[in-house]
Amino acid sequence: MRSVFTLSFLFLISAFINVNAQTNNGKGKINGKVTDAATKLPVDYATVSLFKQGSASPFNGISTDAKGSFNIVNVPAGDYKLTVDFIGYTRSVIEHVIVNADGSTTLGNVLLKPVQNQLSTVNVVAKAPVIENKIDKMVYNAANDLTAQGGVALDVLKKVPQVTVDIDGNVELQGNPNIRFLINGKPSSIFGASLADALQSIPASQIKSIEVVTSPGAKYDAAGTGGIINIILKDSKVSGINGSVNGAIGTRLENGSLNLNARKGNFGVNAYFSGNAQRPTIGKNINDKSSYGSLGDTTRLLQNGNTTTQRSSYQTGISFNWSITPKDDITASLGFNHFGNHTYGLTSEQETHTAADGSLISQLLSQRNSDSRFSSNSTDWSVNYKKTFKKEGQELDVLYSNSYSQNTVNYSQVQDYLNIDSPATGSRGNNPGNDRQINISVDYTQPVTKNFTLEGGAKAVIENLNNTVSTDTLRADGTYGNSAEQSYGFNYKRNIYAVYLSTSASLFHNWLDIKAGLRDEYTTTTANFPGVNIPGYNTLAPSATISHKLTATQTIKLSYNYRIERPDYGEINPFYNISDPHNISTGNPNLKPEISRGVELGYNRSFDGGANIYVGTFYRHNTDDIQSFSNNYDVLNINGRDYSNVLLTQRSNIGTQTNVGGNIFASVPVSSKLNLRSNVLLVNRTNASPGLATVTGFAYRLNLNATYQFGHDLTAEAFGNYNSSQKNIQGTRPYFMFYNFAVRKQFLNKKASVGLLASNPFNKYVNMRSNTFGPGFDQINFRQVPVQSFGITLSYKFGKLEFAKEKEKGDKEDNNIPAPPEGGR
């Protein structure tokens, strides 16, 4: 299968070279501005399509910017037809647009007339590309992703360039797992307790796009040494009442979503509800650990079991947008998110203790029934005020957001002994907690000259985490009694105060674009857990990006950034999860922040036929690197109780980590019907920790996506991904691969669609073998993770459009970067 991926990638490169060979010199450009014929206001994000005379399909196109302007570059000399479309307007057609070599054709104002029609009468030909590579970020537009539509956010992330997702839902960006996740540009406490569960709670059908920012500027929080991933949920600013319904029914996962949008004049409302559920799936696990005593004796623990996992979630929310005046805009939103999982299973255990000469000292046979539940309820609300001024680009942005989550972890385990006369042992634990985070920010942008802009702002983040731990022990008579020494409370407070200043400028007649800034963050932390003392600290985070357009279609960019990763709720929570008494996990309240310095160099080029290629390389060095680390204990005392032959895992500052790597992304329309996309990520990682050997490991990720248009209403897609194995500080991460197929049929004037999905149709399980080692022990783990799934998807768009959306003069908002993340977020 790896050879199939390799051959497919080579075919893609060959097709790309062919497209490149067809590129001609002597190109012109077409520019203009799209305006509402009734209000005379600019129409942003209108679709401008360019056709060769006699052709029914566009060969080039673009969306208008915030001022309604467009500029199509690299157009060969010739005679063309140009069309402009936007929902709620009649299409505008301009015949015989003449382009001369190395010349500019200016169309002036292109007027769009509003219509009052059912949605079915609107005809939009062009659509946004799946991947948009912008100067400060890469955008993955998920709406046209067929194979992910029946899944969740993790399934979409698997297809995003530079992002890696492992079989357990752990996400890395350029090989770094410490990522700052945002929803619609705002932080949310749902990501603090369990990131993998949170990302599995968001249906893919609810996602509009995913933005990846690997070198954030000074406006962004310095948090996240790996960078920022911003998940943009679907909404609409089209006037009238409209919406959509999406659903998926499958053998492993079911989900659905409902979106409703209403807008009249200067006031709009958006509401949504979505949910998903994972059917019970059974995974198999074999764990073989050997620990070595000081006298040459060996204790071998062999665990063989099955685990059943269920997940469920739902989200709902509402947002309001009120354009008070043409220059004053206020947006308020309220959302609720619930997700949880339930894991239970039976494990057979054989613990054998042998002397140095191989003679048997003891043997213990047992069976363990375990049950673990996790749930989280999160409420997010925010108010955002934005004011623009007469001077273009001058604006004030004020944001207040409040996120509150309640998280609960419960476990129970009972051990029955098979070859000795002993009563069963066991325990159960309950760990309710909450996390409240308040963000207040003010940002101001002041253009000084046409080519020089100053930006500055301030922000306060107030976070308060509380939880309690209650542990009961199984008595010989079968009842439970509270273990006072293992029951306690924990309170953790962290405040962050930040200011920043950044500049952006175009130098040497727009030959060089520069954006540089400095962010200062002061952090105070208090915790009431015994032995925890975290002094306040200040962080100066500089950032800079230099970009140069080699030609109208080629750009090169160099960036530097300084980032910090503060430990989150799940990493500092001191609760001991003893659902498996031989494999115990806990948080570490003494974690220090991780510091990262990174450099990135990237090159991007687009071609006439729609082909695009991005090649980038990066270097990132982390100090006080936060990673999971396991220690073996013959006897581990936890608050007065002894546990034998234990592997304790917790997050630690292990030392330094250096990542050097590269990324290659290419998208090639092989023909008018077939499009290929591929992404290759290469990372060489070096971990250095005091007292341990330095470990260097190389890893790569390769994926290939093929989309074929059979006609205007039938599309097929195939996607495959391979993640290689990689050495880490205590062993080897296993390799794995997966592949998906999908077919979608649209009907009722493309208002409705039905699709078929298949995930790993020829493999019920992904087999994974990994090893872990440390002082005095080594361990081999074999897992069979269920991945096979078949399903059907349904979607329907409805609504009546009454008027064109009204756009304020001078409004600079970019739907791909909502106002909040750009300003001190």
Side-chain angles (χ1 to χ4, degrees), residues 48 113 154 518 687 697 757 809:
V48 182
K113 296 180 180 180
L154 281 175
L518 180 66
N687 290 297
L757 299 173
K809 294 180 180 179

Side-chain angles (χ1 to χ4, degrees), residues 675-691:
N675 183 275
L676 297 178
R677 297 195 315 271
S678 183
N679 180 65
V680 179
L681 178 65
L682 312 169
V683 181
N684 192 69
R685 175 182 298 167
T686 300
N687 290 297
S689 181

Side-chain angles (χ1 to χ4, degrees), residues 690-716:
L692 298 175
T694 298
V695 177
T696 298
F698 176 76
Y700 63 93
R701 170 210 174 191
L702 169 66
N703 69 36
L704 180 68
N705 193 98
T707 304
Y708 191 84
Q709 301 278 351
F710 289 97
H712 293 296
D713 55 359
L714 182 62
T715 307

